[in-house]
Amino acid sequence: MLASVRPHAWDLPLFVHVLGAMILFGGTLAVAAFGWASWHRPQRELLARATFRTLLAVVLPAWIVMRIGAQWTQSKEDISGTPGWIGAGMAVSDAGLVLLLVAVGLAYWAARLRGAGWQPRAVAVLSSLYLVALAVAWWVMSTKP
């Protein structure tokens, strides 16, 4: 219902935000799957490289697109103050960038070690935690409790 009364000037910024968020979620899910699959697999080296490349080529650019879309949408809206649902989205976004940068460093380290060591597990755990945080932000921003 809100979409029918929302000004059309918000359509493109909101589309950019949602598109970036969907790609971010899917890319993070792929990184988590690669990380969990790399445990006790003979293809550890291939999975470690795929994890690192997915983080660099999909997840980080998607985070940037999502964040640009979010700021653009917020600038179009005339909201006084910062509602809780926007604050929750920003908190997950900002903390998520830190998690993603740590995951990129660990994935690079794992790729250099050819998938051996504890680094792929750490990337799997970090990306899984970020997936949960993204799901919570998704729910909060959709329902606006």
Side-chain angles (χ1 to χ4, degrees):
M1 185 61 167
L2 285 177
S4 64
V5 296
R6 182 182 67 235
H8 292 293
W10 298 0
D11 289 346
L12 181 61
L14 187 59
F15 176 77
V16 169
H17 171 65
V18 171
L19 179 67
M22 288 179 3
I23 295 170
L24 175 63
F25 189 86
T28 306
L29 181 63
V31 166
F34 290 152
W36 292 114
S38 69
W39 291 21
H40 310 298
R41 299 254 195 246
Q43 303 91 355
R44 284 189 312 234
E45 182 178 352
L46 177 66
L47 289 168
R49 282 185 291 165
T51 301
F52 177 63
R53 289 179 180 163
T54 302
L55 280 165
L56 281 184
V58 177
V59 175
L60 288 179
W63 185 92
I64 292 168
V65 169
M66 181 268 309
R67 192 69 168 142
I68 288 171
Q71 291 302 127
W72 190 11
T73 303
Q74 188 178 6
S75 73
K76 291 280 186 184
E77 295 178 0
D78 188 25
I79 298 175
S80 60
T82 303
W85 57 274
I86 291 178
M90 286 183 176
V92 168
S93 172
D94 295 344
L97 180 61
V98 174
L99 280 177
L100 289 176
L101 292 176
V102 170
V104 166
L106 290 172
Y108 176 75
W109 192 4
R112 298 288 293 169
L113 295 175
R114 301 179 184 208
W118 55 271
Q119 296 85 359
R121 293 178 182 152
V123 172
V125 169
L126 287 176
S127 57
S128 296
L129 288 173
Y130 191 45
L131 275 176
V132 171
L134 285 173
V136 168
W138 192 351
W139 178 79
V140 167
M141 296 193 83
S142 297
T143 60
K144 296 174 182 54

